[in-house]
């Protein structure tokens, strides 16, 4: 769930995952699309499900970024419980 007041606050700093630099990737648009798809899918999946899907994203989504995305999603879920 997005906190819209925080999202629109120009004084608020982004505290989410650090963006990946895909500028050196052979197809940066494909890599950016893969990161977006991974992030979207991770929001409705757990770590085990994303591990099974990892071969599809390997080489497109940096492994460290994938870990951060999953960790952030799990932290949000535990706060909502």
């Amino acid at each position: 769930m997005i906190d819209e007041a925080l999202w629109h606050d120009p004084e608020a700093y982004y505290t989410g995952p650090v963006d990946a630099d895909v500028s050196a990737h052979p197809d940066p648009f494909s890599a950016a699309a893969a990161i977006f798809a991974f992030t979207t899918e991770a929001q409705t999946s757990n770590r085990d499900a994303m591990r099974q899907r990892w071969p599809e994203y390997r080489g497109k989504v940096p492994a460290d970024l994938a870990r951060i995305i999953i960790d952030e999603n799990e932290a949000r879920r535990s706060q909502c419980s």
Side-chain angles (χ1 to χ4, degrees), residues 39-55:
T39 302
T40 301
E41 190 173 341
Q43 289 173 348
T44 58
S45 300
N46 63 23
R47 186 176 299 266
D48 292 331
M50 293 309 292
R51 270 198 190 110
Q52 292 175 2
R53 303 281 309 220
W54 181 245

Side-chain angles (χ1 to χ4, degrees), residues 8-75:
H8 294 292
D9 180 0
E11 300 298 317
Y13 292 97
Y14 179 70
T15 60
V18 176
D19 292 337
D21 180 9
V22 295
S23 61
H25 193 278
D27 185 357
F29 293 111
S30 172
I35 291 168
F36 178 77
F38 182 89
T39 302
T40 301
E41 190 173 341
Q43 289 173 348
T44 58
S45 300
N46 63 23
R47 186 176 299 266
D48 292 331
M50 293 309 292
R51 270 198 190 110
Q52 292 175 2
R53 303 281 309 220
W54 181 245
E56 185 177 324
Y57 292 107
R58 184 179 286 126
K60 297 176 188 169
V61 177
D64 287 341
L65 180 60
R67 181 190 48 77
I68 290 169
I69 290 168
I70 291 171
D71 288 348
E72 288 288 323
N73 285 332
E74 287 182 346

